[in-house]
Amino acid sequence: QTLRRALDENDGDVLMFLPGAGEIRRAQQSLADNPPPHTRVLPLYGDLSAEDQDRVFDESAHRERRIVLATNIAETSVTIPGITVVGDTGLARRSLFDPGSGMSRLELLRISRSSAAQRAGRAGRTAPGRCVRLYAAGEFAARPAFDEPEIRRIDLAEVLLEQLAWGARDPLTFPWLDSPEPSAVRRAL
């Protein structure tokens, strides 16, 4: 509904942030069942081939309005030509290490305010634009200012093995940009 309203009320193309590839495929199917007129739907996520990802940026094929369904891969350092509207679910899938099981798992999480600002910034990069957040303003205000650094969410075993192979003597005193929890370092060692 948000995509259709965005197409009706705005010029240009729409970039919709969804949490993962599964949600993108479901949205694609929903749009294929009842396609908006004169639009092309393009997915954008990390597991797509480079050729499929490049289609999103190909201006020569830009004859119809586009709906780009993307994960947070499109959140930063990307300018997609023609995007004037961003729809933001405010969600992302992130890998979290579970010390109890010793395994990492993907978890659906609310993004931070800084991530939301990055997403909103994808609209209007090449022309005036707007962002439609699919969550309440009060919920936005309650979100953390920044995402937790990845070094504090992942299994550190591989990182520490590389450090030790490079000749680091003590990972607990290594000059990290963002320091991991000492307990996570000890567990990984």
Side-chain angles (χ1 to χ4, degrees):
Q1 290 173 337
T2 300
L3 287 169
R4 292 176 194 285
R5 193 174 10 191
L7 288 167
D8 289 344
E9 296 175 1
N10 301 279
D11 293 327
D13 299 335
V14 178
L15 171 61
M16 184 68 158
F17 282 98
L18 297 163
E23 290 84 0
I24 288 172
R25 284 190 288 275
R26 284 191 293 280
Q28 275 183 288
Q29 185 59 55
S30 175
L31 290 165
D33 291 344
N34 184 13
H38 310 294
T39 60
R40 189 168 42 140
V41 177
L42 298 166
L44 182 61
Y45 54 92
D47 286 343
L48 283 177
S49 69
E51 181 181 315
D52 287 338
Q53 290 184 29
D54 288 345
R55 282 192 186 103
V56 172
F57 303 96
D58 183 4
E59 292 184 77
S60 66
H62 193 160
R63 301 206 192 297
E64 302 172 290
R65 290 183 75 189
R66 297 174 305 157
I67 300 172
V68 178
L69 304 173
T71 61
N72 57 354
I73 190 175
E75 194 171 291
T76 58
S77 304
V78 171
T79 298
I80 301 173
I83 298 295
T84 59
V85 179
V86 166
D88 183 10
T89 60
L91 300 170
R93 289 209 190 288
R94 297 230 164 87
S95 179
L96 296 176
F97 179 68
D98 180 0
S101 69
M103 309 241 345
S104 293
R105 67 181 187 284
L106 283 177
E107 195 164 308
L108 186 63
L109 301 172
R110 291 182 174 133
I111 61 170
S112 66
R113 293 190 314 266
S114 65
S115 286
Q118 284 288 334
R119 290 179 177 193
R122 302 302 96 194
R125 304 253 314 155
T126 59
R130 69 183 272 219
C131 177
V132 178
R133 291 194 174 121
L134 303 179
Y135 50 95
E139 184 184 328
F140 174 79
R143 291 175 181 231
F146 298 96
D147 293 321
E148 183 177 38
E150 186 175 12
I151 196 76
R152 295 194 187 132
R153 296 184 282 113
I154 64 169
D155 178 12
L156 296 174
E158 183 179 349
V159 173
L160 296 184
L161 282 171
E162 284 186 36
Q163 269 191 0
L164 294 169
W166 295 340
R169 296 178 195 264
D170 183 2
L172 286 168
T173 61
F174 185 81
W176 301 92
L177 181 60
D178 292 302
S179 297
E181 294 295 323
S183 60
V185 173
R186 285 191 286 280
R187 186 173 43 253
L189 286 171

